Amino acid sequence: MITARTADDLRRQVSAWRVAGDTIGFVPTMGALHEGHLSLVKIARERADRVVASVFVNPTQFGPNEDFNRYPRQPEKDAAMLEEAGCDLLFLPGVETIYPPGPPSHSTFVEPAGAAEGLEGACRPGHFRGVATVVLALFNLVRADVAVFGEKDAQQLAVIRQMVRDLHLPVEIVPGPTVREADGLAMSSRNAYLSPEERRAATVLHRSLEAARELIQAGQRRADEVRRRLREVLNTEPLARVEYAEVVDAESFQPVEVLKGRLVLPLAVRVGGTRLIDNIRVTPPGVSEISKP
């Protein structure tokens, strides 16, 4: 596996592959990798001749009181995991590569609306501005044919798809299913923050989602009843503090009142001092699910 730290080194290698007729798959990450990330590399491997993964903890998507400084960083371990998973190139840029310091200093940002409004967009002001900006920069550097994003970050996936559509970006966005631990907890780099007691308590997220899924499968079509069920289960756990528990349209990410079509049930819950997100995708019985690009 090749490691590139500069834009020139990355472009040189990607250009050589393009000259050879290879297609490029891309998996952007913030590192602290786990099996969920590696599943995205596997999908990219199936969809393209060459796979590029990036590890970059993006400062612009963290708020002033968030965990940028303590976000887990393990570049050597990440590199070994990516190489074993079949990644061809690890892009490991510094902040100055993604955000050139100038003069003048970096001053161009993407301001997404639509799917970026509400939920994570409301709880973390500026978050999706940072996400969209860094993803667009990485797309321009890697020039991938296919980029794979995890469904665990469902609103992020919707925002990226919206940006690709609105800005006519020549990359196919492919979703990767959420990978879970044996007890249902969605794999996340932030799970490392949890104490043993908090780790046990965190399983309430998945239990609430499954309870809501059962309610929908039983015929419930009122979104308020599904929201009520989500919170009812979450509130059984004393260590859990709910930020939101919603029912939204899978594409627009806007709340719905009547359940129909492709839906997402997104959660944000603090367990102790750790903020966790999770979701499931559901389509009420009797409605065929047609995946959109």
Side-chain angles (χ1 to χ4, degrees):
M1 183 181 71
I2 300 164
T3 298
R5 296 179 181 272
T6 69
D8 286 345
D9 288 345
L10 171 67
R11 286 180 174 131
R12 190 177 301 115
Q13 184 57 63
V14 169
S15 294
W17 286 333
R18 289 239 175 257
V19 169
D22 291 341
T23 55
I24 310 297
F26 179 42
V27 180
T29 83
M30 292 208 301
L33 303 183
H34 49 68
E35 289 301 320
H37 296 106
L38 301 185
S39 72
L40 306 182
V41 174
K42 181 181 178 180
I43 293 170
R45 179 92 270 168
E46 293 168 350
R47 301 292 294 262
D49 300 312
R50 300 287 185 171
V51 177
V52 176
S54 62
V55 171
F56 178 66
V57 183
N58 176 36
T60 66
Q61 70 188 68
F62 288 79
N65 298 314
E66 294 184 345
D67 59 342
F68 173 72
N69 289 327
R70 72 184 186 108
Y71 193 86
R73 292 164 170 84
Q74 51 182 43
E76 294 83 7
K77 183 178 179 181
D78 290 344
M81 292 173 70
L82 287 169
E83 185 165 21
E84 186 174 354
C87 182
D88 295 289
L89 186 150
L90 166 59
F91 184 40
L92 200 60
V95 173
E96 68 283 353
T97 296
I98 302 299
Y99 300 106
S105 61
H106 185 277
S107 56
T108 303
F109 292 87
V110 179
E111 294 282 1
E117 298 171 339
L119 303 182
E120 290 298 286
C123 292
R124 305 178 65 188
H127 172 67
F128 285 125
R129 178 181 190 255
V131 168
T133 299
V134 75
V135 170
L136 181 58
L138 290 168
F139 281 173
N140 286 333
L141 288 164
V142 177
R143 295 188 298 135
D145 300 282
V146 172
V148 187
F149 289 82
E151 289 184 336
K152 187 181 81 70
D153 295 291
Q155 190 172 7
Q156 171 180 278
L157 176 60
V159 170
I160 298 305
R161 280 176 157 164
Q162 173 185 281
M163 180 178 73
V164 166
R165 182 188 66 240
D166 291 351
L167 300 183
H168 307 284
L169 303 179
V171 58
E172 179 187 0
I173 303 301
V174 176
T178 300
V179 177
R180 299 183 179 278
E181 304 285 359
D183 58 6
L185 180 66
M187 290 188 178
S188 169
S189 301
R190 289 186 169 95
N191 290 349
Y193 298 158
L194 298 168
S195 70
E197 184 181 10
E198 291 166 349
R199 172 64 182 77
R200 175 201 57 76
T203 60
V204 75
L205 277 77
H206 187 242
R207 293 202 307 273
S208 73
L209 291 169
E210 287 304 309
R213 189 202 302 273
E214 291 175 6
L215 188 63
I216 295 169
Q217 294 298 319
Q220 180 59 251
R221 294 296 176 267
R222 292 179 55 193
D224 280 348
E225 288 301 310
V226 177
R227 295 181 184 104
R228 184 194 62 78
R229 182 61 175 147
L230 287 168
R231 287 182 175 272
E232 181 179 65
V233 177
L234 291 168
N235 288 336
T236 64
E237 174 50 63
L239 295 182
R241 291 175 290 138
V242 183
E243 288 193 3
Y244 60 75
E246 257 299 347
V247 183
V248 300
D249 177 81
E251 184 174 10
S252 70
F253 243 75
Q254 299 305 304
V256 301
E257 296 307 321
V258 178
L259 273 59
K260 58 183 179 180
R262 298 167 60 248
L263 305 169
V264 174
L265 279 55
L267 305 177
V269 180
R270 289 192 180 273
V271 178
T274 303
R275 186 177 189 272
L276 302 175
I277 62 171
D278 200 354
N279 73 86
I280 55 171
R281 294 170 179 268
V282 295
T283 301
V287 179
S288 62
E289 180 168 356
I290 300 175
S291 179
K292 296 186 178 183

